[in-house]
Amino acid sequence: MLQSCDFCDAIKDKFDVYPFTLDEVWSRTILLDREPISIQSDRHVHLVIFGMDETAESIAIYAAHVAHYPNYIRNHTLRTRITMVSEDAEKVCEVLIRRYQHLFDNSFYRIVKPSETKAVRKFHRPIYDGRREDFVDVEWEFVEAGFQNADLRKKLQLWAEDDKQLLTLVCADRDENKNMSHALILPDSIYANHIPIYIYTHREVALHNLPNLRLFGMMDCGYDTTLPLVEMAKNVKYIYEQCYKENIETATEQVFYTVDIDCEERERLWAGESNVKRISCISNAMSIPSKMRSIGLGEDDWEKFYDITQEEVEILSEVEHNRWSVEELILGFRPCTDEEERDIAADVAKRKGEYKSRMIHYDLRAYNALRPDGTGKSVKIYDWCLSSCLPLIAKSLLDKKGGQK
């Protein structure tokens, strides 16, 4: 609910409210791109989650928010794949699909029962497949199988040995003992190839000298009260607004660069922002580390602001648009139908906003198919500006921690 509505002024004027669940926060400890995925990379992230309850859903949706990489631009088959495994996957996934209807309407997904002769029970293509360019760089797979299913274990072994996949496993059942048990009886190739296995548990346990086992969900390290994501999100908002102002005043399509951030103005802009837009800025901030890693930078490389080349800005701009598209679909927006597109195109300045207020977004389309907005300028300008300023946005992490990582 809090992703699609705002608080009343009586609350907004007195409190800063940041809704979260611990499951969401713990999900952020799972590293999917443990090696940089550049535009030339032939590897794709594959996240396998055992479980389909609230914790598993938080992990899956977090991955959908952040797992966007440059190589999809070069090859649209290199989508991030999220596989969810459960003995009642078909039943549970239908609830998930209804909850995020527009995300799944515009995604590839399939429901698989490996124990049956015809394993694929349903294969879904994006509703505009074949008529519009693909713009959702995440695909889904729901596997109805028990942990000991022989076909599933064969698949796990093949995935672990596939050097084109950057595989990560998560044991996310609510039963902590079951998670640990499952993590210790995976196919041998999982351990031999050092595939990371994340285990959801609230207590310290011995890891049996297996370096690829990682615990998450610990109660004593659940939430970072310094709010580093919020600090980066404030910078995202500031740069977006400065870009908008500069571009409107100059009426050009040159990328807007800023070398510093006015902290007082940044706080003023953030204070006046709606809760929905704040969540959008935070979603952007969550993806910044993987974007920087994809071009060889870390969070302490903010001083390399001018080292990002124009080519890298262009690449990261398209990555940002793909990320934003999935974010908007998760929030409940949908693309325009062909008829709605024609209606908006007849008067973009007036009708684009009208449709947006009804959760229908004119810009939910492939990056190369984006069209000018009501001012006549390219909407890509915002992606360019945010991408060129990535190290400056990440600098807030150092500022918040006194210059230390």
Side-chain angles (χ1 to χ4, degrees), residues 23 25-33 47 49 55 58-60 62-63 66 168-172 196 198-199 214-216 293:
D23 281 338
V25 177
W26 287 322
S27 297
R28 297 172 192 163
T29 66
I30 297 172
L31 180 63
L32 299 173
D33 57 321
L47 172 65
I49 305 169
T55 301
S58 291
I59 295 165
Y62 168 73
V66 302
T168 300
L169 306 183
V170 181
C171 298
Y198 286 85
I199 305 168
R214 294 159 171 76
L215 304 181
F216 76 107
R293 285 193 293 271

Side-chain angles (χ1 to χ4, degrees), residues 194-310:
H194 308 290
I195 304 301
I197 307 165
Y198 286 85
I199 305 168
Y200 180 74
T201 180
H202 297 324
R203 54 194 170 87
E204 290 284 353
V205 293
L207 295 181
H208 302 277
N209 297 319
L210 292 173
N212 52 327
L213 298 190
R214 294 159 171 76
L215 304 181
F216 76 107
M218 312 303 289
M219 295 300 292
D220 59 351
C221 56
Y223 191 58
D224 188 344
T225 55
T226 63
L227 300 175
L229 274 179
V230 174
E231 291 302 308
M232 286 200 292
K234 290 179 180 180
N235 287 351
V236 169
K237 168 65 178 175
Y238 176 87
I239 289 168
Y240 181 92
E241 291 297 329
Q242 294 302 310
C243 166
Y244 180 81
K245 178 182 177 183
E246 177 79 7
N247 190 245
I248 290 295
E249 290 179 351
T250 61
T252 70
E253 293 187 358
Q254 296 298 314
V255 176
F256 170 75
Y257 292 96
T258 181
V259 296
D260 203 1
I261 292 177
D262 183 332
C263 293
E264 185 175 333
E265 174 66 6
R266 182 189 70 168
E267 295 302 318
R268 187 191 69 79
L269 289 169
W270 188 254
E273 188 58 281
S274 69
N275 182 62
V276 176
K277 289 296 185 181
R278 285 184 176 188
I279 289 176
S280 179
C281 291
I282 290 171
S283 295
N284 179 295
M286 286 194 303
S287 70
I288 289 174
S290 64
K291 288 176 184 171
M292 291 186 69
R293 285 193 293 271
S294 74
I295 58 171
L297 298 179
E299 70 175 32
D300 55 348
D301 287 330
W302 64 268
E303 74 279 3
K304 297 181 180 180
F305 175 49
Y306 288 111
D307 287 353
I308 296 184
T309 67
Q310 187 63 34

Side-chain angles (χ1 to χ4, degrees), residues 8-77:
C8 64
D9 290 341
I11 293 178
K12 288 174 59 179
D13 291 345
K14 295 179 174 62
F15 300 98
D16 277 337
V17 182
Y18 299 102
F20 72 96
T21 69
L22 283 174
D23 281 338
E24 290 173 343
V25 177
W26 287 322
S27 297
R28 297 172 192 163
T29 66
I30 297 172
L31 180 63
L32 299 173
D33 57 321
R34 54 189 179 275
E35 67 178 48
I37 300 179
S38 69
I39 193 166
Q40 297 302 328
S41 174
D42 287 324
R43 305 189 78 183
H44 71 276
V45 162
H46 186 183
L47 172 65
V48 179
I49 305 169
F50 297 99
M52 289 192 66
D53 60 13
E54 293 88 346
T55 301
E57 180 181 327
S58 291
I59 295 165
I61 295 302
Y62 168 73
H65 271 297
V66 302
H68 307 277
Y69 306 106
N71 57 353
Y72 170 79
I73 298 170
R74 178 176 56 82
N75 182 349
H76 276 13
T77 67

